[in-house]
Amino acid sequence: MNNVYFWEGNVACAEGALIAGCKFFAGYPITPQSEILDRLAFRMPEVGGIFLQMEDELAAINSVIGASWAGAKAMTATSGPGFSLMQEGIGYAIMTETPCVIVNVQRAGPSTGQATRCAQGDFMQARWGRHGDQMLIVLAPNSPQEMFDLTIDAFNLAEEYRTPVILLSDEFIAHMQERVEVPSKVNLISRRKLKDISEAPFGGSLIPPIASLGDDFNILVTGSTHDEYGYRKTADPIVHDRLVRRLMNKILLNADKIKRVEMQNLDNADIGIVSYGGTSRSVYEASDLANEKGIIIGHVRLKTLWPPPEKEIKALAERVKVIIVPEMSLGQLSLEVERIVEGKAEVILLSKIGGLPITPHEILSKIFEVLR
Amino acid sequence: MSELDKVFVDEKLCKGCGICINICPYHVFTVKDELKGIVTPIGQDKCTQCGICEIYCPDFAIAIVPKKGM
Amino acid sequence: MILKHFARKYLREEVLPSTFCPGCGLGIIINCFLKAVEELGYSNLNDFIFCSGIGCTAWIPSPHFKADSIHTLHGRAVAVAFGVKMVRPEHHVVVFGGDGDIAGIGIGHLIHAAKRNLEIVVIMANNFTYAMTGGQLSPTTPFESLTLTSPYGNIEKPLDVVKVIDAAGASFAARWTTYHIIPLIRTIKTAIKKNGFSFIEVVSQCPTIYGRRAGFKSAYDMLKYFKEHSVPIEKAKNMSDEELKDKFVVGIFVDREKLGFTSLYKQVINKARVKL
Ligand SMILES: Cc1ncc(C[n+]2csc(CCOP(=O)(O)OP(=O)(O)O)c2C)c(N)n1
Ligand code: SF4
Ligand code: SF4
Ligand code: SF4
């Protein structure tokens, strides 16, 4: 029997983490993420897990890394400025292949910007926020139900691919209250553990098995360039090339399995839209309104932002002349869509900043403007 | 090497920093190879097996036979 | 059979000789730590997990120790150690770091771990400089000292990190130098056994960078200087600031019995479960 709750997105995320088996949460207060922190402060001890309020976001992400290497499923959550502070740690987690989940409830920047307002300005930062070549997984929910579901997904993907996974939410979804169904049984994935000391924990296969600190395999974890046994080889061009390419490839070659995407009306679309997160809710409504007027919107809604579902976006571009990309930024997702469609369709940005969501009517008038 | 030796220096590890030469109260060590900077024990008989050179050697190159009964 | 140095049973043979410069104090710190471990009866390092940041000192456990170790970001070792210790409270979690790593970029985490009295051991090698990056000013560089980034002399007074730890309320804090091997070994043993935050500063010679610039002729010269300029804490109490100007006050500064963070956190879990 599934249980049904009426939760806001942040609470659904916290509860999803607990169901996913998260046993370590470290965070630092920041709007609009704080309800995740507050919820886990009382919920985590109930399940015998660890909740820590840290001295800053650097401490939060780094203690999550320590906890994950000690064997726990671990998560942190933040917003805007806190996400910027965590970037160095996320880069370390990528390089060391540390399974962990980072929730970023987007708010309006730059800097402290509009602390309590919604935005989608971290799309590129989530992907490119750190120095060096790298890849990771970014998921984007568009409802409290998905805050719950995708948090569980994020843990599963982190464990399966030995990588940090970012749940890129936004203020709109995080504070929206809706019905959330909690299934009585969920499928959980756990990291593949090293069985023998001769196995390589940092190479040998695309996703190597992991040993925890304390398992007595004398594991060497380092964020510096290392060989498959963890020994620093910072001056070796071949070792570096092999490591960094493998780290990219373990995500890119599995992009199809990582991909979560929703498609509507692609076959007979008059116009295309690619969206994610809070904005996609307005696209649904705009789609209904357009339907009444006889216009069919082909909608590709991304749940996996990185690696992007290229095939689906390309398929949309094959069917329509114009793709509108509504986003609460001055153009980030639109750039990626442009790159993917390679000119097969015209990509038109509908952007809005200032903290108020893009309305269905704004989308509709853009459609009329384009189709005229 | 004789049965009575109490001091061993691993020449592969010694970096010739000279700490042991100065720290040993009985001047057991001397420079063996100026170029490579390797030291060697020349006063085995004077060694009291106090063991301090083993701790002061930053390169894990010295080993002292433990005193009997220790 | 050739007898081997006692520490080698705890070290990865394949990484010897170490990458440290000849005469570097970090090797002496390794010896004192492993002697303490040996004297406590551990035949291997399975009961320990080591965390370090970035810098010469951070290389002490990684890759030298035959043990589980995590070599983290510059300044973040204590934060990572927090996560490790909470998940593996039964292990001894030990952090090694330089004065820059621990008391510069990482001092926020250090103070908070001390305040929480988290049951870890932090060993800070104080070589007065950022050695790995070539010898810049560090939080512990002596007043008026010349470094790459204080070419006209350091105008900042060095930070007394032990005092900071004391003020934060940790269980244990001590300072020795690499000259003081016997008390240092004894102190590390106490720190490992302590059920609270333990901090040990070890003034350590960096003959290559700091030593050369400060005019020392050899590593031994620096050890001799440490010996001659050290004052036991008991004696220092009756000395003026002027008399202590160029001295290292050594000894045990803090030793209090106090509940540690992991035991307090267990109480939180108990409270939460009673409520259920
Ligand atoms: C965020 C960041 N800033 C700067 C550096 C460069 N860096 C590497 S080691 C180091 C200082 C090392 O000094 P210390 O911690 O005192 O250790 P030592 O080398 O003296 O043992 C610095 C600044 C870095 N790796 N990361
Ligand atoms: S202290 Fe060790 S490394 Fe230095 S000279 Fe003596 S044996 Fe060699
Ligand atoms: S054990 Fe003592 S006496 Fe013997 S060589 Fe070493 S320091 Fe000298
Ligand atoms: S630079 Fe200084 S601290 Fe670093 S290994 Fe050399 S002597 Fe030691």
Side-chain angles (χ1 to χ4, degrees):
Chain A
M1 251 282 292
N2 295 355
N3 285 319
V4 173
Y5 299 90
F6 197 66
W7 277 337
E8 69 163 26
N10 277 340
V11 169
C13 170
E15 292 296 329
L18 295 176
I19 294 219
C22 176
K23 281 284 156 40
F24 185 96
F25 179 92
Y28 188 81
I30 188 165
T31 306
Q33 160 282 151
S34 290
E35 295 80 10
I36 301 176
L37 181 86
D38 301 347
R39 178 89 176 182
L40 287 173
F42 78 85
R43 287 283 284 133
M44 199 51 112
E46 287 180 357
V47 302
I50 295 147
F51 167 88
L52 303 175
Q53 180 176 331
M54 301 302 290
E55 53 272 19
D56 53 38
E57 285 87 350
L58 306 171
I61 182 71
N62 283 288
S63 63
V64 159
I65 289 166
S68 177
W69 273 103
K73 288 189 180 179
M75 176 170 107
T76 182
T78 188
S79 292
F83 190 53
S84 298
L85 281 178
M86 287 185 186
Q87 294 299 331
E88 190 197 19
I90 297 171
Y92 180 90
I94 291 172
M95 189 63 154
T96 49
E97 304 176 74
T98 309
C100 58
V101 174
I102 301 109
V103 181
N104 175 20
V105 179
Q106 294 178 89
R107 61 185 239 182
S111 189
T112 0
Q114 295 173 290
T116 59
R117 294 302 172 86
C118 189
Q120 294 181 308
D122 302 350
F123 175 82
M124 285 295 183
Q125 191 197 13
R127 168 67 182 89
W128 300 105
R130 305 147 296 274
H131 58 285
D133 291 312
Q134 57 196 270
M135 192 64 215
L136 81 178
I137 299 170
V138 181
L139 305 179
N142 84 342
S143 63
Q145 180 70 54
E146 279 192 1
M147 282 289 273
F148 178 85
D149 295 339
L150 292 187
T151 299
I152 297 170
D153 258 9
F155 273 100
N156 283 346
L157 291 167
E159 295 285 316
E160 184 168 2
Y161 295 100
R162 250 188 90 175
T163 179
V165 175
I166 293 171
L167 186 77
L168 195 68
S169 183
D170 54 58
E171 189 277 334
F172 190 49
I173 299 304
H175 287 155
M176 168 187 290
Q177 292 212 8
E178 269 182 357
R179 184 178 185 278
V180 176
E181 220 172 282
V182 175
S184 51
K185 205 176 167 316
V186 290
N187 175 37
L188 296 183
I189 296 173
S190 289
R191 58 194 77 177
R192 185 160 68 96
K193 294 290 288 262
L194 198 81
K195 287 196 195 69
D196 188 86
I197 200 128
S198 64
E199 284 182 280
F202 299 99
S205 57
L206 201 53
I207 307 155
I210 191 170
S212 298
L213 298 168
D215 283 354
D216 299 336
F217 283 115
N218 293 340
I219 191 153
L220 276 171
V221 185
T222 177
S224 301
T225 291
H226 47 275
D227 68 13
E228 53 267 51
Y229 291 95
Y231 287 87
R232 270 194 306 280
K233 296 276 163 64
T234 56
D236 190 328
I238 294 166
V239 169
H240 184 81
D241 183 281
R242 190 172 58 211
L243 173 63
V244 175
R245 278 181 203 278
R246 181 176 63 73
L247 296 183
M248 299 278 287
N249 282 339
K250 72 174 182 182
I251 311 281
L252 293 177
L253 298 178
N254 287 303
D256 274 345
K257 281 192 244 160
I258 294 165
K259 170 179 72 191
R260 281 134 177 84
V261 60
E262 206 179 77
M263 293 189 289
Q264 290 163 319
N265 310 328
L266 243 56
D267 289 337
N268 40 5
D270 301 308
I271 191 161
I273 291 187
V274 178
S275 77
Y276 79 95
T279 305
S280 68
R281 304 283 294 237
S282 298
V283 178
Y284 296 148
E285 243 184 281
S287 195
D288 291 344
L289 293 172
N291 247 331
E292 289 168 17
K293 304 230 153 47
I295 301 167
I296 296 179
I297 299 178
H299 184 198
V300 175
R301 202 263 291 184
L302 311 178
K303 295 199 222 177
T304 303
L305 298 182
W306 299 103
E310 302 208 5
K311 271 186 218 145
E312 289 70 13
I313 295 173
K314 282 198 167 96
L316 179 65
E318 296 289 346
R319 288 175 171 82
V320 297
K321 288 205 187 65
V322 176
I323 296 176
I324 296 175
V325 181
E327 54 179 320
M328 298 188 67
S329 88
L330 295 181
Q332 299 193 15
L333 172 61
S334 62
L335 293 176
E336 188 58 14
V337 174
E338 256 173 36
R339 184 190 70 75
I340 291 167
V341 305
E342 293 173 318
K344 295 223 168 62
E346 189 188 352
V347 177
I348 293 180
L349 167 67
L350 167 57
S351 73
K352 179 165 170 183
I353 57 172
L356 299 175
I358 298 177
T359 64
H361 285 281
E362 284 164 332
I363 296 172
L364 213 56
S365 27
K366 191 74 181 178
I367 290 171
F368 291 150
E369 184 192 314
V370 170
L371 290 182
R372 199 172 295 136
Chain B
M1 214 175 299
S2 95
E3 293 272 306
L4 300 173
D5 282 356
K6 301 172 237 174
V7 189
F8 295 88
V9 174
D10 186 333
E11 297 193 354
K12 286 200 292 295
L13 296 190
C14 171
K15 290 179 187 158
C17 67
I19 290 178
C20 56
I21 297 178
N22 290 293
I23 215 91
C24 170
Y26 302 101
H27 310 289
V28 167
F29 300 95
T30 191
V31 178
K32 177 184 170 192
D33 185 328
E34 285 278 359
L35 263 174
K36 288 192 205 143
I38 294 168
V39 305
T40 189
I42 44 158
Q44 293 277 4
D45 52 322
K46 289 182 284 179
C47 171
T48 62
Q49 292 157 284
C50 70
I52 64 163
C53 55
E54 197 170 345
I55 306 286
Y56 276 113
C57 172
D59 275 291
F60 329 108
I62 300 175
I64 302 294
V65 176
K67 262 191 220 172
K68 285 236 167 59
M70 271 185 77
Chain C
M1 201 201 80
I2 293 183
L3 198 63
K4 277 189 184 173
H5 187 274
F6 83 93
R8 285 169 68 177
K9 59 178 170 291
Y10 302 110
L11 301 174
R12 297 177 197 261
E13 280 291 322
E14 66 273 26
V15 299
L16 299 181
S18 76
T19 45
F20 299 137
C21 308
C24 176
L26 300 178
I28 300 178
I29 297 176
I30 292 181
N31 288 337
C32 291
F33 179 79
L34 293 176
K35 195 57 160 182
V37 165
E38 184 181 59
E39 287 181 4
L40 286 174
Y42 296 101
S43 56
N44 57 44
L45 296 172
N46 286 355
D47 288 347
F48 293 80
I49 296 173
F50 298 95
C51 301
S52 62
I54 300 288
C56 293
T57 313
W59 287 11
I60 285 182
S62 171
H64 296 104
F65 287 1
K66 211 186 280 171
D68 287 327
S69 71
I70 179 162
H71 177 242
T72 71
L73 294 167
H74 189 36
R76 310 298 157 217
V78 172
V80 172
F82 196 2
V84 172
K85 181 68 185 181
M86 292 308 289
V87 179
R88 300 271 180 166
E90 72 287 2
H91 277 75
H92 295 294
V93 176
V94 182
V95 172
F96 285 94
D99 37 298
D101 207 18
I102 299 290
I105 191 168
I107 196 161
H109 307 313
L110 182 76
I111 294 173
H112 284 277
K115 169 212 172 224
R116 292 173 177 125
N117 205 28
L118 180 71
E119 301 93 325
I120 62 173
V121 179
V122 177
I123 299 179
M124 182 184 89
N126 178 7
N127 57 15
F128 314 111
T129 194
Y130 283 33
M132 183 164 267
T133 41
Q136 293 84 356
L137 190 69
S138 99
T140 58
T141 303
F143 187 57
E144 292 177 337
S145 222
L146 301 177
T147 71
L148 282 179
T149 48
S150 60
Y152 304 104
N154 179 19
I155 57 172
E156 303 176 33
K157 290 279 168 65
L159 184 69
D160 187 334
V161 189
V162 167
K163 266 195 194 148
V164 173
I165 300 296
D166 184 6
S171 270
F172 190 80
R175 179 188 296 114
W176 297 104
T177 79
T178 43
Y179 174 77
H180 298 92
I181 55 170
I182 305 296
L184 178 56
I185 294 167
R186 201 186 316 125
T187 300
I188 294 172
K189 278 159 65 177
T190 312
I192 290 173
K193 285 190 294 187
K194 198 94 200 158
N195 266 321
F197 188 84
S198 300
F199 178 81
I200 305 172
E201 171 181 338
V202 189
V203 173
S204 173
Q205 77 273 20
C206 163
T208 309
I209 293 191
Y210 191 80
R212 195 173 294 166
R213 205 161 283 141
F216 289 99
K217 283 196 278 306
S218 69
Y220 177 72
D221 251 18
M222 296 186 83
L223 285 173
K224 208 166 78 181
Y225 181 89
F226 294 165
K227 173 189 176 190
E228 287 161 0
H229 288 75
S230 291
V231 180
I233 176 172
E234 301 76 25
K235 198 170 156 205
K237 280 182 184 135
N238 305 316
M239 288 168 71
S240 68
D241 284 354
E242 187 53 31
E243 288 171 303
L244 288 172
K245 207 175 65 182
D246 58 350
K247 300 288 189 296
F248 309 110
V249 182
V250 295
I252 292 172
F253 291 72
V254 181
D255 191 354
R256 358 178 132 98
E257 284 313 316
K258 196 175 162 182
L259 269 183
F261 190 88
T262 63
S263 354
L264 289 164
Y265 192 80
K266 280 195 195 104
Q267 297 178 8
V268 172
I269 291 186
N270 290 340
K271 276 189 198 162
R273 292 204 153 150
V274 164
K275 180 182 72 102
L276 280 180

